[in-house]
Protein backbone atom coordinates (compact mmCIF):
# COMPACT_ATOMS: atom_id res chain seq x y z
CA UNK A 1 0.00 0.00 0.00
CA UNK A 2 2.87 2.41 0.80
CA UNK A 3 4.44 1.85 -2.62
CA UNK A 4 1.18 2.54 -4.47
CA UNK A 5 0.71 5.75 -2.51
CA UNK A 6 4.19 7.00 -3.43
CA UNK A 7 3.64 6.16 -7.13
CA UNK A 8 0.30 8.00 -7.15
CA UNK A 9 1.87 10.96 -5.45
CA UNK A 10 4.71 11.11 -7.99
CA UNK A 11 2.22 10.84 -10.90
CA UNK A 12 0.20 13.70 -9.47
CA UNK A 13 3.29 15.88 -9.07
CA UNK A 14 4.41 15.04 -12.64
CA UNK A 15 0.94 15.91 -14.02
CA UNK A 16 0.94 19.25 -12.22
CA UNK A 17 4.44 19.96 -13.56
CA UNK A 18 3.45 19.16 -17.16
CA UNK A 19 0.32 21.36 -16.96
CA UNK A 20 2.41 24.18 -15.55
CA UNK A 21 4.97 23.72 -18.33
CA UNK A 22 2.23 23.83 -21.02
CA UNK A 23 0.75 27.00 -19.58
CA UNK A 24 4.16 28.60 -19.21
CA UNK A 25 5.52 27.66 -22.68
CA UNK A 26 2.84 26.28 -25.11
CA UNK A 27 5.35 26.20 -28.05
CA UNK A 28 4.52 26.28 -31.74
CA UNK A 29 4.35 23.47 -34.33
CA UNK A 30 3.96 23.97 -38.10
CA UNK A 31 3.48 21.10 -40.53
CA UNK A 32 3.50 21.96 -44.26
CA UNK A 33 2.96 19.46 -47.08
CA UNK A 34 2.30 20.67 -50.61
CA UNK A 35 -0.30 23.38 -50.45
CA UNK A 36 -1.45 22.32 -47.00
CA UNK A 37 -0.26 23.58 -43.63
CA UNK A 38 -1.17 22.66 -40.11
CA UNK A 39 -0.44 24.98 -37.24
CA UNK A 40 -0.88 24.11 -33.60
CA UNK A 41 0.78 24.34 -30.28
CA UNK A 42 3.72 22.03 -29.64
CA UNK A 43 1.98 19.94 -26.98
CA UNK A 44 -1.23 19.46 -28.97
CA UNK A 45 0.86 18.42 -31.99
CA UNK A 46 2.73 15.84 -29.93
CA UNK A 47 -0.61 14.45 -28.69
CA UNK A 48 -1.99 14.22 -32.23
CA UNK A 49 1.12 12.46 -33.54
CA UNK A 50 1.00 9.94 -30.67
CA UNK A 51 -2.69 9.28 -31.39
CA UNK A 52 -2.00 8.67 -35.11
CA UNK A 53 0.85 6.26 -34.29
CA UNK A 54 -1.34 4.27 -31.89
CA UNK A 55 -4.15 4.07 -34.46
CA UNK A 56 -1.76 2.77 -37.13
CA UNK A 57 -0.35 0.19 -34.73
CA UNK A 58 -3.85 -1.00 -33.79
CA UNK A 59 -4.85 -1.26 -37.47
CA UNK A 60 -1.79 -3.30 -38.37
CA UNK A 61 -2.33 -5.57 -35.35
CA UNK A 62 -5.95 -6.13 -36.38
CA UNK A 63 -4.97 -7.00 -39.95
CA UNK A 64 -2.35 -9.50 -38.69
CA UNK A 65 -4.88 -11.27 -36.47
CA UNK A 66 -7.39 -11.29 -39.31
CA UNK A 67 -4.91 -13.00 -41.63
CA UNK A 68 -3.53 -15.57 -39.14
CA UNK A 69 -6.71 -16.44 -37.23
CA UNK A 70 -7.71 -19.49 -39.40
CA UNK A 71 -4.32 -21.12 -38.73
CA UNK A 72 -4.63 -20.42 -35.04
CA UNK A 73 -8.10 -21.92 -34.98
CA UNK A 74 -6.86 -24.99 -36.82
CA UNK A 75 -3.89 -25.39 -34.46
CA UNK A 76 -6.15 -25.09 -31.46
CA UNK A 77 -8.57 -27.64 -32.89
CA UNK A 78 -5.72 -30.01 -33.74
CA UNK A 79 -4.23 -29.81 -30.27
CA UNK A 80 -7.65 -30.44 -28.78
CA UNK A 81 -8.09 -33.57 -30.92
CA UNK A 82 -4.65 -34.86 -29.95
CA UNK A 83 -5.49 -34.41 -26.29
CA UNK A 84 -8.81 -36.16 -26.81
CA UNK A 85 -7.06 -38.99 -28.71
CA UNK A 86 -4.54 -39.48 -25.91
CA UNK A 87 -7.33 -39.50 -23.33
CA UNK A 88 -9.38 -42.08 -25.29
CA UNK A 89 -6.32 -44.27 -25.82
CA UNK A 90 -5.49 -44.16 -22.13
CA UNK A 91 -9.05 -45.05 -21.13
CA UNK A 92 -9.14 -47.82 -23.74
CA UNK A 93 -6.02 -49.44 -22.31
CA UNK A 94 -7.41 -49.20 -18.79
CA UNK A 95 -10.65 -50.88 -19.88
CA UNK A 96 -8.65 -53.57 -21.69
CA UNK A 97 -6.79 -54.36 -18.48
CA UNK A 98 -10.06 -54.41 -16.56
CA UNK A 99 -11.65 -56.74 -19.13
CA UNK A 100 -14.21 -54.34 -20.60
CA UNK A 101 -13.45 -55.49 -24.15
CA UNK A 102 -16.25 -53.83 -26.13
CA UNK A 103 -15.83 -50.47 -24.39
CA UNK A 104 -12.08 -50.68 -24.73
CA UNK A 105 -12.24 -51.34 -28.48
CA UNK A 106 -14.63 -48.43 -29.05
CA UNK A 107 -12.35 -46.02 -27.20
CA UNK A 108 -9.19 -47.30 -28.89
CA UNK A 109 -10.63 -46.97 -32.38
CA UNK A 110 -11.99 -43.47 -31.65
CA UNK A 111 -8.59 -42.51 -30.28
CA UNK A 112 -6.90 -43.82 -33.43
CA UNK A 113 -8.74 -41.31 -35.68
CA UNK A 114 -6.73 -38.28 -34.59
CA UNK A 115 -3.65 -39.96 -33.16
CA UNK A 116 -0.29 -39.16 -34.72
CA UNK A 117 0.75 -42.81 -34.20
CA UNK A 118 -2.36 -45.05 -34.18
CA UNK A 119 -0.34 -48.30 -34.33
CA UNK A 120 -0.79 -49.01 -30.63
CA UNK A 121 -4.52 -48.31 -30.86
CA UNK A 122 -5.04 -50.79 -33.69
CA UNK A 123 -2.88 -53.50 -32.09
CA UNK A 124 -4.76 -53.20 -28.80
CA UNK A 125 -8.09 -53.08 -30.66
CA UNK A 126 -7.15 -56.32 -32.43
CA UNK A 127 -6.56 -57.94 -29.06
CA UNK A 128 -9.94 -56.77 -27.79
CA UNK A 129 -11.65 -58.15 -30.91
CA UNK A 130 -9.87 -61.45 -30.31
CA UNK A 131 -11.16 -61.51 -26.74
CA UNK A 132 -14.64 -60.79 -28.07
CA UNK A 133 -14.37 -63.76 -30.44
CA UNK A 134 -14.52 -61.72 -33.64
CA UNK A 135 -11.78 -63.03 -35.97
CA UNK A 136 -12.77 -60.87 -38.93
CA UNK A 137 -12.55 -57.69 -36.86
CA UNK A 138 -9.23 -58.88 -35.46
CA UNK A 139 -7.85 -59.39 -38.97
CA UNK A 140 -9.09 -55.98 -40.14
CA UNK A 141 -7.54 -54.15 -37.20
CA UNK A 142 -4.22 -55.89 -37.71
CA UNK A 143 -4.32 -54.74 -41.34
CA UNK A 144 -4.99 -51.18 -40.21
CA UNK A 145 -2.06 -51.44 -37.80
CA UNK A 146 0.25 -52.54 -40.63
CA UNK A 147 -0.98 -49.71 -42.87
CA UNK A 148 -0.56 -47.09 -40.14
CA UNK A 149 3.19 -47.74 -39.78
CA UNK A 150 5.03 -49.57 -42.54
CA UNK A 151 8.10 -49.92 -40.33
CA UNK A 152 6.15 -51.83 -37.66
CA UNK A 153 5.18 -54.87 -39.73
CA UNK A 154 7.13 -57.18 -37.40
CA UNK A 155 5.22 -55.88 -34.38
CA UNK A 156 1.98 -56.69 -36.19
CA UNK A 157 3.27 -60.18 -37.06
CA UNK A 158 4.26 -60.85 -33.46
CA UNK A 159 0.80 -59.83 -32.25
CA UNK A 160 -0.90 -62.00 -34.86
CA UNK A 161 1.36 -64.98 -34.04
CA UNK A 162 0.61 -64.62 -30.33
CA UNK A 163 -3.12 -64.73 -31.02
CA UNK A 164 -2.66 -67.76 -33.29
CA UNK A 165 -0.73 -69.56 -30.56
CA UNK A 166 -3.56 -68.87 -28.15
CA UNK A 167 -5.83 -70.68 -30.63
CA UNK A 168 -3.26 -73.53 -30.96
CA UNK A 169 -2.71 -72.73 -34.61
CA UNK A 170 0.96 -73.63 -34.32
CA UNK A 171 1.77 -74.08 -38.01
CA UNK A 172 0.11 -70.77 -38.92
CA UNK A 173 2.05 -69.06 -36.16
CA UNK A 174 5.33 -70.42 -37.56
CA UNK A 175 4.49 -69.05 -40.99
CA UNK A 176 3.58 -65.67 -39.48
CA UNK A 177 6.91 -65.56 -37.62
CA UNK A 178 8.96 -66.44 -40.70
CA UNK A 179 10.10 -62.85 -41.35
CA UNK A 180 10.70 -61.93 -37.71
CA UNK A 181 12.85 -64.99 -36.93
CA UNK A 182 15.48 -63.86 -39.46
CA UNK A 183 16.66 -61.14 -37.07
CA UNK A 184 16.09 -62.34 -33.48
CA UNK A 185 18.55 -59.80 -32.12
CA UNK A 186 16.27 -57.00 -33.25
CA UNK A 187 13.05 -58.82 -32.34
CA UNK A 188 13.92 -61.12 -29.40
CA UNK A 189 10.25 -61.71 -28.54
CA UNK A 190 10.04 -63.90 -31.65
CA UNK A 191 12.20 -66.51 -29.89
CA UNK A 192 9.66 -66.99 -27.11
CA UNK A 193 6.82 -67.35 -29.61
CA UNK A 194 8.85 -69.77 -31.75
CA UNK A 195 9.56 -71.90 -28.70
CA UNK A 196 5.86 -72.07 -27.88
CA UNK A 197 5.01 -72.99 -31.48
CA UNK A 198 7.62 -75.77 -31.59
CA UNK A 199 6.44 -77.01 -28.22
CA UNK A 200 2.87 -77.15 -29.46
CA UNK A 201 3.97 -79.14 -32.53
CA UNK A 202 6.10 -81.48 -30.42
CA UNK A 203 9.25 -80.50 -32.34
CA UNK A 204 11.69 -81.10 -29.48
CA UNK A 205 14.74 -80.96 -31.76
CA UNK A 206 13.80 -77.45 -32.91
CA UNK A 207 13.33 -76.35 -29.29
CA UNK A 208 16.80 -77.70 -28.45
CA UNK A 209 18.32 -75.76 -31.38
CA UNK A 210 16.53 -72.62 -30.18
CA UNK A 211 17.75 -72.89 -26.58
CA UNK A 212 21.16 -71.13 -27.06
CA UNK A 213 19.41 -68.11 -28.58
CA UNK A 214 16.92 -68.03 -25.71
CA UNK A 215 19.83 -67.86 -23.29
CA UNK A 216 21.74 -65.32 -25.39
CA UNK A 217 18.87 -62.86 -25.51
CA UNK A 218 17.66 -63.67 -21.98
CA UNK A 219 14.18 -64.78 -22.95
CA UNK A 220 12.94 -65.90 -19.54
CA UNK A 221 14.80 -66.19 -16.26
CA UNK A 222 17.80 -68.45 -15.73
CA UNK A 223 15.78 -70.88 -13.60
CA UNK A 224 12.99 -71.02 -16.18
CA UNK A 225 15.48 -71.75 -18.97
CA UNK A 226 17.17 -74.44 -16.89
CA UNK A 227 13.81 -76.12 -16.36
CA UNK A 228 13.04 -75.87 -20.08
CA UNK A 229 16.40 -77.41 -20.94
CA UNK A 230 15.82 -80.27 -18.52
CA UNK A 231 12.37 -80.92 -19.97
CA UNK A 232 13.66 -80.88 -23.54
CA UNK A 233 16.35 -83.46 -22.82
CA UNK A 234 13.93 -85.58 -20.81
CA UNK A 235 11.47 -85.59 -23.72
CA UNK A 236 14.22 -86.45 -26.21
CA UNK A 237 15.27 -89.34 -24.02
CA UNK A 238 11.66 -90.43 -23.74
CA UNK A 239 11.24 -90.34 -27.51
CA UNK A 240 14.31 -92.52 -27.94
CA UNK A 241 13.04 -94.95 -25.30
CA UNK A 242 9.71 -95.32 -27.10
CA UNK A 243 11.50 -96.37 -30.30
CA UNK A 244 13.34 -99.14 -28.45
CA UNK A 245 16.55 -98.08 -30.19
CA UNK A 246 19.36 -98.48 -27.66
CA UNK A 247 21.88 -96.74 -29.94
CA UNK A 248 19.65 -93.67 -30.24
CA UNK A 249 19.07 -93.70 -26.49
CA UNK A 250 22.82 -93.73 -25.81
CA UNK A 251 23.34 -90.94 -28.34
CA UNK A 252 20.74 -88.82 -26.58
CA UNK A 253 22.41 -89.50 -23.26
CA UNK A 254 25.78 -88.28 -24.54
CA UNK A 255 24.20 -84.90 -25.35
CA UNK A 256 22.67 -84.58 -21.89
CA UNK A 257 23.92 -81.43 -20.08
CA UNK A 258 26.69 -82.22 -17.60
CA UNK A 259 24.89 -80.37 -14.79
CA UNK A 260 21.91 -82.76 -15.14
CA UNK A 261 23.70 -86.08 -15.60
CA UNK A 262 24.43 -86.53 -11.88
CA UNK A 263 20.78 -86.14 -10.91
CA UNK A 264 19.49 -89.46 -9.55
CA UNK A 265 16.07 -89.15 -11.17
CA UNK A 266 17.67 -88.44 -14.56
CA UNK A 267 20.02 -91.41 -14.26
CA UNK A 268 17.17 -93.65 -13.17
CA UNK A 269 15.09 -92.57 -16.15
CA UNK A 270 17.93 -93.28 -18.59
CA UNK A 271 18.93 -96.64 -17.12
CA UNK A 272 15.31 -97.82 -16.83
CA UNK A 273 14.80 -96.91 -20.49
CA UNK A 274 18.03 -98.69 -21.41
CA UNK A 275 16.91 -101.77 -19.49
CA UNK A 276 13.67 -101.77 -21.49
CA UNK A 277 15.85 -101.88 -24.64
CA UNK A 278 17.38 -105.21 -23.49
CA UNK A 279 20.65 -103.61 -22.41
CA UNK A 280 20.78 -105.35 -19.02
CA UNK A 281 24.54 -105.87 -19.09
CA UNK A 282 25.18 -102.19 -19.77
CA UNK A 283 22.72 -101.15 -17.05
CA UNK A 284 24.36 -103.53 -14.54
CA UNK A 285 27.85 -102.12 -15.14
CA UNK A 286 26.63 -98.54 -15.19
CA UNK A 287 24.82 -98.89 -11.86
CA UNK A 288 27.84 -100.54 -10.24
CA UNK A 289 30.09 -97.75 -11.48
CA UNK A 290 27.80 -94.94 -10.38
CA UNK A 291 26.91 -96.42 -6.98
CA UNK A 292 30.58 -96.91 -6.21
CA UNK A 293 31.19 -93.24 -6.98
CA UNK A 294 28.10 -91.83 -5.28
CA UNK A 295 25.49 -93.85 -3.39
CA UNK A 296 22.06 -93.57 -5.01
CA UNK A 297 19.24 -95.64 -3.47
CA UNK A 298 17.08 -95.33 -6.60
CA UNK A 299 19.75 -96.98 -8.73
CA UNK A 300 20.24 -99.69 -6.11
CA UNK A 301 16.51 -100.42 -6.32
CA UNK A 302 16.79 -100.77 -10.10
CA UNK A 303 19.83 -103.04 -9.66
CA UNK A 304 17.57 -105.59 -7.99
CA UNK A 305 15.16 -105.47 -10.96
CA UNK A 306 17.62 -106.37 -13.72
CA UNK A 307 16.82 -110.09 -13.15
CA UNK A 308 19.34 -111.55 -15.61
CA UNK A 309 21.55 -114.63 -15.67
CA UNK A 310 24.23 -112.96 -13.56
CA UNK A 311 21.99 -112.58 -10.51
CA UNK A 312 24.42 -114.56 -8.38
CA UNK A 313 27.25 -112.18 -9.23
CA UNK A 314 24.93 -109.22 -8.64
CA UNK A 315 23.97 -110.64 -5.24
CA UNK A 316 27.60 -110.90 -4.23
CA UNK A 317 28.27 -107.36 -5.41
CA UNK A 318 25.24 -105.96 -3.59
CA UNK A 319 26.17 -107.81 -0.39
CA UNK A 320 29.56 -106.10 -0.51
CA UNK A 321 27.70 -102.80 -0.25
CA UNK A 322 26.27 -103.86 3.12
CA UNK A 323 29.51 -102.95 4.84
CA UNK A 324 28.77 -99.25 4.39
CA UNK A 325 24.97 -99.31 3.98
CA UNK A 326 23.78 -102.11 6.23
CA UNK A 327 20.48 -100.42 7.15
CA UNK A 328 19.58 -98.96 3.76
CA UNK A 329 16.02 -100.18 2.99
CA UNK A 330 16.54 -99.97 -0.79
CA UNK A 331 19.68 -102.09 -0.62
CA UNK A 332 17.93 -104.68 1.58
CA UNK A 333 15.02 -104.76 -0.87
CA UNK A 334 17.47 -105.21 -3.76
CA UNK A 335 19.20 -108.06 -1.93
CA UNK A 336 15.87 -109.74 -1.18
CA UNK A 337 14.92 -109.66 -4.86
CA UNK A 338 18.28 -110.99 -6.02
CA UNK A 339 18.12 -113.77 -3.41
CA UNK A 340 14.66 -114.74 -4.70
CA UNK A 341 15.99 -114.94 -8.25
CA UNK A 342 18.66 -117.30 -6.94
CA UNK A 343 15.98 -119.24 -4.99
CA UNK A 344 17.65 -118.49 -1.67
CA UNK A 345 14.29 -118.16 0.02
CA UNK A 346 15.38 -117.90 3.64
CA UNK A 347 17.94 -115.24 2.85
CA UNK A 348 15.43 -113.39 0.69
CA UNK A 349 12.87 -113.36 3.51
CA UNK A 350 15.46 -112.11 5.97
CA UNK A 351 16.50 -109.23 3.71
CA UNK A 352 12.92 -108.25 2.91
CA UNK A 353 11.82 -108.32 6.56
CA UNK A 354 14.81 -106.17 7.49
CA UNK A 355 13.90 -103.72 4.71
CA UNK A 356 10.32 -103.63 5.96
CA UNK A 357 11.51 -102.96 9.50
CA UNK A 358 13.81 -100.16 8.34
CA UNK A 359 11.10 -98.48 6.26
CA UNK A 360 7.74 -100.04 5.43
CA UNK A 361 6.85 -99.55 1.77
CA UNK A 362 4.42 -100.91 -0.79
CA UNK A 363 7.19 -102.64 -2.72
CA UNK A 364 8.51 -104.51 0.30
CA UNK A 365 4.98 -105.55 1.34
CA UNK A 366 4.20 -106.94 -2.09
CA UNK A 367 7.53 -108.73 -2.41
CA UNK A 368 7.10 -110.28 1.03
CA UNK A 369 3.56 -111.27 0.13
CA UNK A 370 4.73 -113.04 -3.00
CA UNK A 371 7.55 -114.78 -1.21
CA UNK A 372 5.39 -115.91 1.73
CA UNK A 373 2.75 -117.19 -0.65
CA UNK A 374 5.42 -119.23 -2.44
CA UNK A 375 6.64 -120.79 0.80
CA UNK A 376 3.12 -121.50 2.07
CA UNK A 377 2.75 -118.84 4.79
CA UNK A 378 -0.57 -117.65 3.41
CA UNK A 379 -1.83 -115.85 6.50
CA UNK A 380 1.22 -113.60 6.77
CA UNK A 381 1.25 -113.20 2.99
CA UNK A 382 -2.36 -111.98 3.04
CA UNK A 383 -1.45 -109.41 5.67
CA UNK A 384 1.47 -108.17 3.54
CA UNK A 385 -0.75 -107.94 0.47
CA UNK A 386 -3.32 -106.04 2.48
CA UNK A 387 -0.70 -103.51 3.50
CA UNK A 388 0.64 -103.15 -0.01
CA UNK A 389 -2.67 -103.21 -1.93
CA UNK A 390 -3.24 -100.10 -3.93
CA UNK A 391 0.23 -98.75 -3.20
CA UNK A 392 2.26 -100.47 -5.89
CA UNK A 393 4.50 -97.94 -7.63
CA UNK A 394 6.18 -100.14 -10.28
CA UNK A 395 5.62 -103.57 -11.87
CA UNK A 396 7.40 -106.28 -9.92
CA UNK A 397 10.12 -108.47 -11.47
CA UNK A 398 9.31 -112.02 -12.44
CA UNK A 399 9.25 -114.57 -9.61
CA UNK A 400 10.23 -118.25 -10.21
CA UNK A 401 7.32 -120.73 -10.07
CA UNK A 402 6.66 -122.36 -6.68
CA UNK A 403 7.35 -125.77 -8.23
CA UNK A 404 11.02 -124.81 -8.41
CA UNK A 405 11.24 -124.20 -4.67
CA UNK A 406 13.94 -126.27 -3.01
CA UNK A 407 12.45 -127.29 0.30
CA UNK A 408 15.81 -127.96 1.90
CA UNK A 409 16.77 -124.30 1.46
CA UNK A 410 13.96 -123.20 3.81
CA UNK A 411 13.92 -123.15 7.61
CA UNK A 412 11.95 -126.01 9.13
CA UNK A 413 8.95 -123.85 9.95
CA UNK A 414 8.62 -122.51 6.39
CA UNK A 415 8.79 -125.67 4.30
CA UNK A 416 5.94 -126.29 1.90
CA UNK A 417 3.87 -129.32 2.72
CA UNK A 418 3.34 -131.68 -0.24
Amino acid sequence: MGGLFIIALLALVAGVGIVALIETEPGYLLIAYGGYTVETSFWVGILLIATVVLLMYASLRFLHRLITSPANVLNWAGERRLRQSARLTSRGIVNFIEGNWAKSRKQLLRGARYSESPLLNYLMAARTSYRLGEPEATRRQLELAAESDLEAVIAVDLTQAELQLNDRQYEKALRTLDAAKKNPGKHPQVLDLLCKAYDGLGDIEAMLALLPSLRKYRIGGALELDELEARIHHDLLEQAAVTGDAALLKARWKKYPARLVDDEAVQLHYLSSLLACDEAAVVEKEIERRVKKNWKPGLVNLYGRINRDTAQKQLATAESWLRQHADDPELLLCLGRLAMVERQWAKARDYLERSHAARPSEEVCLELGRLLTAVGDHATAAEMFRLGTGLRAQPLPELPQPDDVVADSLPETHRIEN
Side-chain angles (χ1 to χ4, degrees), residues 26-305:
Y28 177 76
L29 179 65
L30 173 65
I31 299 174
Y33 181 77
Y36 300 95
T37 59
V38 177
E39 297 181 34
T40 183
S41 67
F42 174 78
W43 297 106
V44 173
I46 291 298
L47 180 61
L48 290 173
I49 292 172
T51 302
V52 171
V53 170
L54 288 174
L55 287 173
M56 291 178 64
Y57 173 78
S59 299
L60 291 173
R61 182 81 175 177
F62 174 75
L63 288 173
H64 179 267
R65 283 181 172 273
L66 190 64
I67 294 171
T68 60
S69 59
N72 290 333
V73 171
L74 290 175
N75 289 337
W76 174 80
E79 291 176 359
R80 181 174 179 276
R81 287 172 179 174
L82 287 175
R83 288 194 299 271
Q84 184 180 15
S85 173
R87 184 169 58 254
L88 286 169
T89 301
S90 176
R91 293 306 307 164
I93 293 174
V94 169
N95 279 305
F96 177 85
I97 294 172
E98 294 176 351
N100 300 317
W101 315 124
K103 187 175 182 180
S104 172
R105 181 174 63 180
K106 182 179 179 181
Q107 291 171 329
L108 289 167
L109 292 177
R110 285 180 60 197
R113 294 176 188 173
Y114 306 111
S115 174
E116 293 181 344
S117 55
L119 175 67
L120 175 63
N121 295 66
Y122 289 129
L123 289 178
M124 293 297 293
R127 291 179 180 274
T128 59
S129 295
Y130 173 81
R131 298 295 180 93
L132 289 167
E134 299 179 11
E136 195 60 33
T138 303
R139 182 189 61 79
R140 177 57 184 158
Q141 282 140 24
L142 287 173
E143 289 177 353
L144 289 172
E147 293 169 2
S148 69
D149 189 344
L150 298 179
E151 296 181 358
V153 175
I154 298 300
V156 177
D157 288 344
L158 292 178
T159 302
Q160 184 175 5
E162 184 178 345
L163 300 180
Q164 289 169 337
L165 288 173
N166 289 341
D167 287 336
R168 300 183 181 180
Q169 298 175 354
Y170 303 115
E171 293 183 354
K172 285 186 177 181
L174 283 179
R175 289 195 294 270
T176 302
L177 295 170
D178 186 62
K181 71 181 181 182
K182 295 176 182 177
N183 192 355
K186 191 174 180 181
H187 316 289
Q189 178 62 17
V190 70
L191 298 172
D192 183 46
L193 298 179
L194 281 172
C195 187
K196 291 177 180 178
Y198 291 139
D199 194 13
L201 293 171
D203 193 343
I204 310 301
E205 292 280 3
M207 292 177 67
L208 181 62
L210 198 63
L211 194 59
S213 296
L214 291 172
R215 290 191 181 279
K216 179 180 178 180
Y217 297 107
R218 299 181 181 179
I219 306 301
L223 180 60
E224 182 181 349
L225 289 175
D226 287 344
E227 292 175 352
L228 176 63
E229 183 180 27
R231 181 169 69 86
I232 288 173
H233 284 283
H234 179 278
D235 291 346
L236 287 171
L237 205 63
E238 191 67 32
Q239 286 182 352
V242 170
T243 65
D245 187 342
L248 178 60
L249 194 62
K250 292 175 184 177
R252 297 288 194 206
W253 181 249
K254 287 181 180 179
K255 295 181 180 180
Y256 230 87
R259 65 179 182 82
L260 298 176
V261 167
D262 288 333
D263 185 86
E264 182 177 352
V266 171
Q267 292 178 7
L268 189 59
H269 179 223
Y270 167 62
L271 294 173
S272 299
S273 301
L274 204 57
L275 186 60
C277 295
D278 297 324
E279 293 285 335
V282 177
V283 173
E284 178 185 340
K285 292 179 180 179
E286 187 69 14
I287 291 177
E288 290 174 356
R289 182 180 71 83
R290 291 190 176 277
V291 167
K292 183 177 180 180
K293 181 181 177 181
N294 188 11
W295 184 255
K296 290 183 169 62
L299 298 188
V300 173
N301 183 297
L302 181 61
Y303 192 72
R305 292 173 171 271

Side-chain angles (χ1 to χ4, degrees), residues 275 280-281 284-285 288 300 302-321 331 333-345 347-348 351 397-400:
L275 186 60
E284 178 185 340
K285 292 179 180 179
E288 290 174 356
V300 173
L302 181 61
Y303 192 72
R305 292 173 171 271
I306 296 176
N307 199 10
R308 39 188 318 276
D309 296 335
T310 60
Q312 185 176 2
K313 172 182 168 295
Q314 288 180 249
L315 181 60
T317 300
E319 285 180 331
S320 69
W321 297 338
L331 176 56
L333 174 59
C334 169
L335 288 166
R337 284 171 169 161
L338 292 172
M340 283 197 294
V341 174
E342 287 298 299
R343 298 177 176 82
Q344 298 181 28
W345 310 107
K347 180 182 284 190
Y351 282 137
E398 183 181 352
L399 179 68

